[in-house]
Amino acid sequence: MRLLITVAKQAQRKSFHSSSCYRFTSEGSTLRKGPEYIEECKWLCGSSQNILSAVRGQVEVRQNFISEEEENALFKEVEKGLRKKRYEFDHWDDAIHGYRETERLQWGDVCESILRRVRAVAFPEGSPLLGPVHVLDLDKSGYIKPHIDSVKFCGSTIAGLSLLSDSVMRLVQENNSADWVDLLLNRRSLYILRDDARFKFTHEILKDEESLFSGQRIPRHRRISVICRNLPV
């Protein structure tokens, strides 16, 4: 099944490479509840302190969520289906470039255990989930253009595991392209987007030549994401 997304119509985007990048200040640390604030500073930056505060609690990246062995187990399972497909460079709504995708409903014991952990940390208990898990394989030259997932098919939360490569996800406020947030998605991390971060911001995966986080180059290689979603309520 094709990725169910709506491409956002945006005005001409300004150059992000020349923009100032803000991180959370010590004064802003009182906005954070829990012990992960220090880690948060390492994976989140944006165009202003205000926009960082606006997405507080709606974006999350958990580094090293899976082990190298668990990554290998997931890769072996998804590669069976992916290698039968070819990379596509003309997505049906022009949202993705250089990709293969599939869905899996049945998983082996190790992978199913990993997915249970994802669901436990990302979704409220009892939340109705979209049954098949979406698997998206980006070629090294591939990238995901700015888009917003369709509200008809996806609920308030999306959670994705990043395999094989580090990458940068950019969120841009739909009604003001000057307001943006970058998430550093390290290999084997889990990212979670909730509520307004899902539906009032476009999200994209930067192409290799544009892959910068807080001014630092983040090389992009082949990247596989294993994505869980809940159903609309």
Side-chain angles (χ1 to χ4, degrees), residues 10 17 22 36 67 85 116 119 127 163 175 177 198 203 214 220 233:
Q10 293 186 319
H17 296 287
Y22 289 81
E36 294 179 351
S67 67
K85 302 174 180 288
R116 282 198 298 269
R119 294 168 183 136
S127 176
L163 313 182
N175 296 325
S177 61
R198 292 266 290 112
H203 61 278
S214 194
R220 254 282 324 283
V233 178

Side-chain angles (χ1 to χ4, degrees), residues 22-30 37 41 49 52 56:
Y22 289 81
R23 309 291 285 272
F24 278 115
T25 62
S26 57
E27 302 91 73
S29 64
T30 56
Y37 169 71
C41 293
Q49 290 289 332
L52 292 176
R56 231 28 198 296

Side-chain angles (χ1 to χ4, degrees), residues 12 57 69 74 87 106 108 111 118 133 171 180 191 194 231:
Q12 183 67 33
E69 291 76 14
L74 286 165
Y87 285 104
Q106 301 295 327
C111 294
V118 170
V133 175
L171 309 181
W180 56 270
Y191 73 84
R194 299 184 175 95
L231 289 168

Side-chain angles (χ1 to χ4, degrees), residues 60-67 70-75 78 107 110-119 121-123 133-138 144 158-167 169 185-193 205 222-229:
E60 182 178 357
V61 178
R62 299 197 177 200
Q63 307 292 1
N64 298 309
F65 186 80
I66 58 174
S67 67
E70 290 173 322
E71 179 189 39
N72 289 335
L74 286 165
F75 174 72
V78 301
W107 297 82
V110 173
C111 294
E112 184 58 44
S113 176
I114 297 167
L115 293 171
R116 282 198 298 269
R117 281 167 41 211
V118 170
R119 294 168 183 136
V121 301
F123 303 99
V133 175
H134 183 224
V135 179
L136 181 62
D137 178 6
L138 281 183
I144 302 176
I158 182 172
L161 292 166
S162 297
L163 313 182
L164 305 184
S165 177
D166 300 341
S167 61
M169 176 180 284
L185 307 183
N186 284 327
R187 181 177 180 175
R188 296 189 291 276
S189 66
L190 172 71
Y191 73 84
I192 305 169
L193 304 181
I205 295 293
R222 179 190 177 192
R223 175 183 184 266
I224 295 176
S225 49
V226 178
I227 304 165
C228 298
R229 296 181 173 92

Side-chain angles (χ1 to χ4, degrees), residues 94-116:
D94 196 36
I96 315 177
H97 180 85
Y99 75 101
R100 302 185 291 192
E101 65 181 343
T102 187
E103 291 183 326
R104 288 186 67 89
L105 190 57
Q106 301 295 327
W107 297 82
D109 291 344
V110 173
C111 294
E112 184 58 44
S113 176
I114 297 167
L115 293 171
R116 282 198 298 269

